[in-house]
Amino acid sequence: MGEYLNKFKEAYNDIILFRGLKRDPLIVIMIDLMNSGDLQYEEWKKKYNEFLAAFIPWAEIFSNQGKDAWPNYVLNLMLADENIFSLQAEKLCFEKIPAATKTLAVSDLQNIQILASFSPQMCQEIFKQKVRKIQNSIEILLDWNEVHSPFIDIVAEKKRKLFSAFCEMSDWSKGITVLSEYFHRNGTGLFGEYNTLRWVNDNGQRYLAGVDNPDPISFKQLYEYEWEQERIINNTEQFLAGYRGNNVLLYGDRGTGKSSTIKALINKYGDMGLRLIEIQKQDLDDFPQIISALARRPQRFILFIDDLSFGENETEYRQMKALLEGGVETKPQNVLIYATSNRRHLVYERANDREQSFTGNSDEDMRSMDTLQEKLSLADRFGIAVTFIAPDQKKYLGIVEKLARERGLNIEKDQLTKLALKWELSFNARSARTARQFIDHLEGRIAMDKKG
C-alpha cells in the first residue's frame, strides 16, 4: 500500500497540462488524506469523513448505477479544464495538434487515471492498517458508491458517453483521440461546459459565468410567431455556417416572446457551436474585455441585451452605436448582437424634441437636428429589425388552444375560450405571455380538482 501511495502522490505532482484539476477542493482534500500517513486513526477517519461529506452530493450526480462516481467526477474536471491541449483540440483536428502537446497530454492522462483510481476500498485498506496498530476490531468506513440516485440524468449525454468510454479503458492514454474529438466538437472550459453564459460585474470583478439552469424554451412552444422567428433563424443559421450575419433588434409589445425567441436559438443550435452571452446595458463599457475572451475561439457568440432602451439623459447609446458598427475596438466576425426592446426608437425622445430642433438660430438648429438624428439612428444600426405585435383575439385564443393541447389538458374548447377571455380581462391584457400564464393557472387548477 505504501508503494502505491507514493505512486499516487507522484502522479499528482507530475500533471503538467491539466493543472486545473490540482486546484479542485475535493482533489486537495483527497491528496491531504493520502499524505496523512502519520495521523492516528481517529484523526485519519475524521479527514475521510470530511472528504465523504463534500463528495456525496457529487456522487449522487456522477454515480453510474452505484459505480464510477469518483472517476466520472475526475473526468468532468478534465473536460472543464482549459489548457494548451484542450484549446488546440478545440480548434484543430487531432492530426494537426503538435506532437509535443500530444506527448504531454498522454502523460497527463496516465497520471489522471491514477488519481481516478482513488476508491473507498483503498481507504478501507489504509484504515485497517491504522486500526490494527491499537485494537483488534476492524471498523468499516462509509462507501460513497452506496449513495446514489437517478440524478445522473442531469449529466449531458455527450459527457456520459465519454465517461463510459474512459471507464472501460485499461489505459486512459489510449483515449487521447476520443478526448481530442470531444473538445473539437463541444469546446473546452466555460464554452465547453455551458451554452448559455452571462457577463458578471461583481463589485468591480468582471468575468464570464455559466448559467446552470438556462430556460429550456423551444420554438415548438412559441406559437403564432413563426414568420418573425424564421427571419431570426435564417440569420443565425447563416452566421453558424461561417458567413457574415446581421445584428438583430427584436422590438414590439411586451409579452410577445422576443426574449424567448433568442433563448430558443441556443436550445436549437447550442450543440452546433452557438453560445449565448447575456450582458446588461450598464456593462457596455466592458465590451473590449468581453470580445477579447471571444475573438479567438471557434464558437459563434450572440451577445444578448434584453429590454434595451436609453433614458433622456443617458449617453451610453453612443457606446452601443460604436459596438454595432465598430469603433477603435472592432467586433470580431464570430460575434453578433441580438437585442430586445419594447420600442422602435431605443433612445427616449420627448414630444417637443423636434420642435426644439428649430429655434431660429441656424447653428443651434444644426446641433439640435444632429442630436435628434443621432438618437433616432441607433435602431438603424441593427441590420435586421423584427417587429413582434400583440396578438388579436383570434391569435391569442390560438396560442391558448395550442398550449392546452401541448400540456394535455382535458377541457372543452368552449369552456377553454370562456376562461381564457376572462383571464385576459382580469390580468395582463392580451399577449403570448398572458396565454402561457393562463395555461399555467388552468393546469394547476385541474390538477388540484383531481386531487381534491
Side-chain angles (χ1 to χ4, degrees):
M1 181 59 70
E3 181 180 347
Y4 184 80
L5 292 182
N6 288 332
K7 184 179 180 181
F8 196 92
K9 287 178 273 189
E10 288 176 5
Y12 175 83
N13 291 329
D14 288 344
I15 292 175
I16 297 174
L17 298 183
F18 290 85
R19 299 183 66 82
L21 275 75
K22 301 171 72 169
R23 295 188 292 271
D24 178 73
L26 275 171
I27 296 285
V28 171
I29 296 174
M30 178 198 65
I31 291 298
D32 185 42
L33 185 67
M34 303 299 280
N35 286 333
S36 56
D38 296 333
L39 292 179
Q40 295 297 321
Y41 85 102
E42 284 291 351
E43 294 173 323
W44 194 92
K45 183 178 179 181
K46 181 179 179 181
K47 280 185 174 293
Y48 177 81
N49 288 337
E50 178 187 356
F51 172 86
L52 190 68
F55 182 57
I56 281 177
W58 294 106
E60 287 188 328
I61 295 173
F62 291 109
S63 173
N64 183 7
Q65 299 179 348
K67 63 180 182 179
D68 296 334
W70 179 250
N72 288 342
Y73 177 81
V74 174
L75 286 165
N76 192 63
L77 294 177
M78 187 172 70
L79 295 183
D81 190 61
E82 279 192 12
N83 54 70
I84 295 173
F85 173 75
S86 65
L87 288 169
Q88 288 180 346
E90 184 183 60
K91 293 181 180 179
L92 306 172
C93 63
F94 180 73
E95 291 74 17
K96 294 184 178 180
I97 298 174
T101 304
K102 292 178 186 177
T103 300
L104 291 174
V106 164
S107 175
D108 273 9
L109 286 174
Q110 292 170 337
N111 290 319
I112 291 169
Q113 184 176 15
I114 294 173
L115 298 188
S117 68
F118 179 68
S119 68
Q121 291 74 28
M122 181 192 303
C123 294
Q124 189 68 42
E125 288 301 316
I126 297 171
F127 192 59
K128 282 180 181 179
Q129 292 178 18
K130 292 179 177 293
V131 172
R132 285 195 184 103
K133 292 180 180 179
I134 61 171
Q135 63 186 52
N136 293 325
S137 62
I138 302 298
E139 297 188 38
I140 302 298
L141 296 174
L142 291 175
D143 183 344
W144 61 73
N145 281 320
E146 295 176 357
V147 184
H148 64 90
S149 68
F151 292 159
I152 188 69
D153 289 341
I154 73 173
V155 178
E157 179 66 20
K158 60 188 180 183
K159 284 188 177 182
R160 280 188 277 177
K161 288 182 178 178
L162 185 135
F163 292 169
S164 297
F166 268 82
C167 287
E168 292 172 2
M169 293 178 188
S170 59
D171 181 359
W172 281 15
S173 67
K174 303 297 184 184
I176 187 171
T177 55
V178 175
L179 184 62
S180 175
E181 289 168 1
Y182 179 92
F183 287 137
H184 193 62
R185 185 169 55 251
N186 301 296
T188 184
L190 275 176
F191 303 135
E193 185 76 9
Y194 300 98
N195 291 343
T196 303
L197 305 96
R198 63 167 56 95
W199 182 252
V200 176
N201 185 341
D202 183 12
N203 294 322
Q205 296 294 317
R206 297 171 169 85
Y207 55 91
L208 283 170
V211 176
D212 290 314
N213 297 294
D215 189 339
I217 192 71
S218 66
F219 283 111
K220 67 180 182 180
Q221 297 172 294
L222 299 173
Y223 301 113
E224 302 292 345
Y225 287 89
E226 289 80 4
W227 182 85
E228 291 84 352
Q229 294 163 10
E230 184 178 4
R231 295 189 65 196
I232 298 162
I233 288 172
N234 289 343
N235 185 68
T236 305
E237 289 182 345
Q238 178 177 313
F239 177 55
L240 271 174
Y243 304 109
R244 291 182 181 273
N246 274 290
N247 301 312
V248 180
L249 173 64
L250 297 77
Y251 72 94
D253 298 309
R254 57 191 174 93
T256 49
K258 300 183 294 295
S259 300
S260 293
T261 295
I262 296 177
K263 295 172 186 176
L265 286 171
I266 198 63
N267 295 321
K268 183 177 177 68
Y269 298 110
D271 290 341
M272 297 172 61
L274 187 66
R275 299 293 181 266
L276 184 69
I277 300 177
E278 183 176 17
I279 64 174
Q280 303 298 318
K281 177 183 68 175
Q282 58 268 27
D283 295 327
L284 292 176
D285 281 343
D286 298 334
F287 178 64
Q289 186 177 345
I290 294 171
I291 64 171
S292 70
L294 311 180
R296 289 176 291 278
R297 302 305 287 257
Q299 294 85 12
R300 295 265 156 168
F301 299 95
I302 291 176
L303 301 184
F304 171 37
I305 308 174
D306 199 18
D307 195 20
L308 179 65
S309 62
F310 298 93
E312 180 183 359
N313 297 316
E314 291 181 299
T315 60
E316 290 91 345
Y317 69 89
R318 295 190 177 96
Q319 295 161 317
M320 187 69 197
K321 288 174 69 174
L323 190 158
L324 290 166
E325 290 201 347
V328 175
E329 185 80 29
T330 186
K331 181 169 61 65
Q333 291 188 17
N334 66 334
V335 175
L336 288 180
I337 299 162
Y338 285 15
T340 69
S341 181
N342 289 338
R343 63 186 192 217
R344 178 66 172 87
H345 295 306
L346 300 176
V347 185
Y348 177 78
E349 178 191 2
R350 294 176 300 176
N352 61 347
D353 277 353
R354 295 177 186 271
E355 296 176 6
Q356 292 180 352
S357 297
F358 302 98
T359 62
N361 183 309
S362 59
D363 290 337
E364 290 183 9
D365 287 349
M366 184 65 68
R367 286 194 294 269
S368 297
M369 180 58 70
D370 287 346
T371 300
L372 178 61
Q373 290 302 319
E374 185 179 37
K375 288 182 176 182
L376 294 179
S377 68
L378 177 57
D380 297 335
R381 303 295 175 101
F382 289 89
I384 296 175
V386 183
T387 308
F388 285 71
I389 299 174
D392 57 21
Q393 187 177 96
K394 181 180 179 181
K395 182 179 279 192
Y396 167 73
L397 292 175
I399 297 171
V400 167
E401 290 174 17
K402 290 173 182 176
L403 286 171
R405 193 180 311 123
E406 173 193 318
R407 306 280 184 91
L409 302 184
N410 185 17
I411 183 172
E412 294 291 335
K413 182 177 179 179
D414 290 345
Q415 179 68 4
L416 179 66
T417 297
K418 179 180 177 182
L419 292 174
L421 293 176
K422 183 178 179 181
W423 180 272
E424 170 206 336
L425 292 173
S426 301
F427 292 93
N428 296 322
R430 191 186 298 140
S431 71
R433 181 187 297 149
T434 302
R436 188 171 298 277
Q437 291 168 343
F438 164 67
I439 291 296
D440 288 343
H441 167 78
L442 183 61
E443 184 178 26
R445 290 312 312 168
I446 291 174
M448 291 287 289
D449 291 343
K450 286 182 179 178
K451 184 178 179 180

